[in-house]
Amino acid sequence: MDICKTHENASKCNANAMECFMVLSTQTQKISIATLCGLFGTLCIFENSLVLYLIFSSPGTRRKPSYIFISSLALADILASIIFVCSFVNFHVFNKTDFSKETYLLQLGGVNTSFSASLSSLLLTALDRYISISRPSEYKLLMTRKRAWIALGVLWVTCATVASLPLLGWNCCTLNSTCSELFPFVDNNYLSSWICFVMVLLGCIIYAYTHVLWRAHQHVAYMEKHQVQLGKQNTRMRMDVMLAKTLVMVLTVLVLCWSPVLVLMIYSIFASLSNHLRKVFAFCSTLCLLNSMVNPIIYALRSKELYSSLRMVFSRFRRQLKASEESPEAESTHKSSMIET
């Protein structure tokens, strides 16, 4: 009898059980997953590394709490892309099973920590913008650099603690409980708790941005109703419209990237998954990586300060490139004049 046919057999903690979770059966599926992971992962690392460089190369941006949160988001997305791509491709594409239960749970903990920290950074960014628009006069008093770093420290420690619980003993092998059908050695109760943790983060992000979006809508309606003084009011209205467009983009990308994975995780807790659904889950998992790739475009590169810094970097690079192209010509001209002399 096939060891992967029943949920009870798939829950066993042995080397054969690891093979039950390798759901990619054809070479086309493996190449597709490897291509998606390689493309999204490479772009994610490049974009977020560029964001970190732009933030920390400017004294004006690296001191602001909002950019501290964005730098945390970029760092979490870099770690998520590296750990996720390496472990995911190694497991599903190359079918490597020559590692222990502890090694697998350590890799899974790294992935969970990175993605949870990414969502937590998004939450802090949402709360930062929530405070800035709801209590603008008290923003600088409420959101200081010290509080920003403390909030980041608390959230990173919380994410790492929650993600390391299976490695510390909350797994189906140690507890002899029901294992998840999506992740080896992971207890179903732990998976439910982790889903609740992520749902709380997503819910708080959506609430904060919905409130900011509503306040932006109120500003636009007020400006349109009282068009007596132009200039500054129209500028503020354009900023509110741009903010509203950005927030709609944020919420759309966030929901589209995380909903499929969370829905399949929740479904796996209450019902048995077919091989087809598990393959769908493997492909949907790359959407979380896509979210990490899109984050710097939405949160960082739409910022005027970082965009101007990016233009300065490109202009400086072009000047250096022109200088390097002109220097060999100048050197050859100097050599020819010396020979003539």
Side-chain angles (χ1 to χ4, degrees):
M1 184 178 66
D2 189 359
I3 193 172
C4 303
K5 289 296 181 182
T6 62
H7 179 70
E8 290 78 16
N9 284 332
S11 300
K12 290 183 178 179
C13 301
N14 52 38
N16 292 328
M18 294 288 288
E19 299 176 2
C20 302
F21 296 89
M22 298 175 181
V23 295
L24 304 181
S25 54
T26 65
Q27 197 67 20
T28 304
Q29 294 172 355
K30 294 181 180 180
I31 292 174
S32 300
I33 282 288
T35 303
L36 290 174
C37 289
L39 177 63
F40 294 162
T42 303
L43 289 175
C44 181
I45 293 172
F46 172 74
E47 292 172 0
N48 287 287
S49 299
L50 179 61
V51 169
L52 286 177
Y53 172 76
L54 293 176
I55 290 176
F56 286 98
S57 62
S58 173
T61 55
R62 65 170 176 250
R63 290 192 177 95
K64 294 182 179 179
S66 57
Y67 289 106
I68 292 175
F69 298 146
I70 291 177
S71 62
S72 172
L73 173 64
L75 177 61
D77 286 336
I78 290 175
L79 293 177
S81 61
I82 294 174
I83 302 173
F84 177 84
V85 169
C86 292
S87 58
F88 198 78
V89 171
N90 194 44
F91 185 80
H92 284 288
V93 177
F94 298 108
N95 300 137
K96 297 291 185 179
T97 58
D98 54 345
F99 49 82
S100 62
K101 175 191 71 175
E102 289 74 18
T103 303
Y104 175 82
L105 292 178
L106 181 62
Q107 293 176 354
L108 184 64
V111 173
N112 288 345
T113 300
S114 303
F115 280 126
S116 300
S118 177
L119 288 177
S120 299
S121 301
L122 290 179
L123 174 59
L124 289 179
T125 305
L127 293 177
D128 175 74
R129 295 182 179 179
Y130 176 86
I131 295 173
S132 67
I133 198 169
S134 61
R135 304 173 73 176
S137 59
E138 304 174 28
Y139 173 76
K140 290 187 177 180
L141 294 176
L142 295 174
M143 192 59 67
T144 61
R145 288 182 63 199
K146 182 179 180 180
R147 289 181 178 178
W149 283 112
I150 291 174
L152 281 179
V154 170
L155 281 178
W156 273 88
V157 170
T158 302
C159 293
T161 302
V162 172
S164 61
L165 289 177
L167 185 63
L168 297 176
W170 192 356
N171 57 75
C172 57
C173 299
T174 304
L175 301 176
N176 196 22
S177 56
T178 304
C179 291
S180 169
E181 291 189 348
L182 294 174
F183 306 100
F185 315 125
V186 174
D187 181 69
N188 253 349
N189 293 326
Y190 169 78
L191 183 60
S192 303
S193 302
W194 189 82
I195 291 172
C196 291
F197 175 64
V198 172
M199 293 288 285
V200 168
L201 291 177
L202 290 174
C204 293
I205 293 170
I206 293 173
Y207 172 79
Y209 276 143
T210 303
H211 180 82
V212 173
L213 193 60
W214 173 246
R215 292 297 294 267
H217 172 72
Q218 286 181 325
H219 280 300
V220 172
Y222 178 82
M223 295 300 180
E224 289 178 348
K225 186 177 179 180
H226 302 82
Q227 284 188 350
V228 180
Q229 296 179 355
L230 300 176
K232 193 172 183 179
Q233 288 185 346
N234 285 341
T235 302
R236 177 61 184 271
M237 186 171 68
R238 285 196 299 269
M239 290 175 61
D240 289 334
V241 171
M242 184 178 178
L243 175 63
K245 290 180 179 179
T246 302
L247 296 184
V248 169
M249 192 186 306
V250 166
L251 295 179
T252 302
V253 171
L254 195 66
V255 171
L256 288 179
C257 289
W258 280 91
S259 291
V261 171
L262 291 175
V263 168
L264 287 173
M265 283 184 183
I266 295 171
Y267 182 76
S268 71
I269 295 173
F270 300 101
S272 180
L273 294 179
S274 63
N275 285 333
H276 175 70
L277 283 178
R278 295 201 293 168
K279 289 178 184 178
V280 171
F281 177 79
F283 279 91
C284 288
S285 299
T286 60
L287 291 177
C288 299
L289 191 61
L290 175 65
N291 186 36
S292 296
M293 186 194 77
V294 175
N295 279 338
I297 300 174
I298 298 176
Y299 285 89
L301 298 183
R302 286 178 66 90
S303 165
K304 286 186 177 181
E305 292 177 287
L306 293 185
Y307 183 71
S308 60
S309 299
L310 182 62
R311 291 183 62 183
M312 290 177 60
V313 169
F314 280 142
S315 62
R316 187 163 59 243
F317 176 74
R318 283 198 299 266
R319 286 197 300 268
Q320 291 177 353
L321 194 61
K322 286 182 181 179
S324 63
E325 289 177 353
E326 292 173 358
S327 58
E329 297 177 0
E331 186 177 352
S332 61
T333 303
H334 177 70
K335 286 183 178 180
S336 62
S337 62
M338 289 292 292
I339 292 172
E340 290 174 359
T341 305

